[in-house]
Amino acid sequence: MDESMKLYRLVPIAAAADPNWLGAKSHGEVLVAARTPGDARIVAAERELDFMDIDAAPAEDKTTVMASVFRNEKLYTVIEVDNGRTHHERGVVSGTIGVDTIISTQI
């Protein structure tokens, strides 16, 4: 199915000292192609490293996707980009999403 995606900017809105960060770090501004603003948050969150991807506690079928900074509306806002272009592939278009958010138990 060929589906047109909209572009969305995910922009950090919380100050670096905001307690909502809970020790996490900002990835800066990210541009994604997604179906909806909520889907844009999910697309970005999927690019972050998850406990299930590496040997790190808690592992064993526990995911950290719901704890992503992109899913917190107090940390990131989603802005639709209307540039007249359509995208047919869901995913991150630009920006860097770090994978150093979780430290492996392997040394």
Side-chain angles (χ1 to χ4, degrees), residues 66-78:
M66 294 301 290
S68 170
V69 295
F70 294 112
R71 297 186 73 135
N72 187 331
E73 60 191 28
K74 293 178 181 177
L75 299 177
Y76 270 84
T77 189
V78 181

Side-chain angles (χ1 to χ4, degrees), residues 50-98:
D50 186 30
F51 278 129
M52 293 178 65
D53 295 334
I54 62 171
D55 180 27
E60 300 299 323
D61 82 351
K62 304 295 184 225
T63 183
T64 54
V65 171
M66 294 301 290
S68 170
V69 295
F70 294 112
R71 297 186 73 135
N72 187 331
E73 60 191 28
K74 293 178 181 177
L75 299 177
Y76 270 84
T77 189
V78 181
I79 302 167
E80 184 175 335
V81 176
D82 185 13
N83 63 0
R85 299 178 67 192
T86 57
H87 291 265
H88 299 285
E89 188 172 332
R90 183 176 172 264
V92 175
V93 175
S94 68
T96 303
I97 299 176

